[in-house]
Amino acid sequence: MGRSERREGELPPGQRLQRGWPVTHYGPVPRFREDRWEFRVFGATADGGRGWNHQEFSALPYSTVIADFHCVTKFSMLGIEWGGVSTCTVAKLAPPADGVTHVMVWAEYGYSSNLPIEDFLDDKSIFATHESGQPLTAEHGFPVRLVVPRRYAWKGPKWVRGVEYMTADRRGFWEERGYHNLGDPWTEQRYSYQEAPGDGPELQA
Ligand SMILES: Nc1nc2c(c(=O)[nH]1)N[C@H]1C(S)=C(S)[C@@H](COP(=O)(O)O)O[C@H]1N2
Ligand SMILES: [Mo]
């Protein structure tokens, strides 16, 4: 596993091309309340972490990436243009402590997904606020969603509210419920029963 696994513009094994952009998530679409919204970086931080309100978050350096999108339910979209704040920018402004190996990305209603720090900091990973230059719609994650193009799309929470730096791995929402801890679409790491020893923390019976 390394950068060589990336084959942009191609369908990973078992995927088919999707026309249009479906909405896929568990539970209701949260209502955005600007006065209560905060994006928090916490856990094993180097300097105590940070929080940004919506106005502050919207003023962070903006960049765009073009990337493919692969849902574990087997549809893919190619060449989406995301705009927002790169994960590297967030990590620069709110750095992890030495020894951080993983992150948990937290969203509204307690949805979460875990990632090795390398996947989180991949140069295509972005906290997207826009798609094709337009602000995200509520159902697609407004005001902020994570996109990690090198992993299946469940590892990109919509309605993100925070990042927790961790010094050990812990399973997120779907990773506890039958989905693979790592989620590499190129090797079809779809389900937790496919995990090899060392791919993730013990599953609770
Ligand atoms: N908060 C939250 N984020 C989520 C999910 C979810 O259930 N809740 N589902 C994930 C899954 S499985 C997919 S495929 C993508 C779908 O994003 P879309 O609805 O914008 O296409 O969101 C991901 N992010
Ligand atoms: Mo998905």
Side-chain angles (χ1 to χ4, degrees):
M1 308 242 281
R3 274 150 205 262
S4 58
E5 82 194 37
R6 182 182 285 158
R7 280 167 286 174
E8 277 171 87
E10 283 180 38
L11 285 178
Q15 297 291 110
R16 60 185 158 67
L17 207 56
Q18 172 76 37
R19 286 175 158 275
W21 187 9
V23 172
T24 312
H25 59 261
Y26 177 82
V29 174
R31 186 152 81 88
F32 173 59
R33 295 165 182 253
E34 176 149 29
D35 53 324
R36 296 195 198 165
W37 192 90
E38 193 190 26
F39 185 109
R40 238 162 46 85
V41 183
F42 62 102
T45 62
D47 57 9
R50 270 190 90 153
W52 292 283
N53 65 28
H54 188 242
Q55 200 183 340
E56 291 162 344
F57 193 86
S58 306
L60 296 181
Y62 183 90
S63 58
T64 58
V65 299
I66 301 211
D68 304 335
F69 185 95
H70 311 296
C71 174
V72 71
T73 63
K74 303 202 167 176
F75 72 82
S76 290
M77 301 180 295
L78 302 180
I80 307 213
E81 188 201 300
W82 303 103
V85 182
S86 77
T87 52
C88 289
T89 296
V90 166
K92 239 173 251 150
L93 297 171
D98 289 344
V100 167
T101 55
H102 293 80
V103 302
M104 189 73 78
V105 179
W106 289 99
E108 302 283 357
Y109 300 140
Y111 185 88
S112 62
S113 187
N114 58 313
L115 289 160
I117 190 87
E118 300 78 37
D119 289 343
F120 177 70
L121 294 178
D122 183 72
D123 57 10
K124 290 241 166 172
S125 295
I126 184 168
F127 287 106
T129 56
H130 290 69
E131 183 274 323
S132 299
Q134 300 298 319
L136 294 175
T137 58
E139 15 348 315
H140 286 302
F142 181 85
V144 184
R145 74 175 302 160
L146 179 64
V147 180
V148 179
R150 68 190 284 178
R151 295 295 170 248
Y152 284 119
W154 88 76
K155 287 197 167 281
K158 304 194 276 193
W159 314 295
V160 172
R161 290 292 298 276
V163 176
E164 177 185 357
Y165 291 135
M166 308 194 293
T167 53
D169 200 4
R170 221 167 69 218
R171 288 175 188 269
F173 182 86
W174 286 122
E175 294 82 2
E176 276 185 331
R177 290 170 175 77
Y179 286 92
H180 199 286
N181 191 55
L182 298 173
D184 173 19
W186 299 100
T187 53
E188 289 201 76
Q189 292 176 328
R190 296 178 188 274
Y191 308 111
S192 51
Y193 66 74
Q194 301 170 308
E195 286 175 17
D199 282 350
E202 288 292 302
L203 268 166
Q204 312 299 354

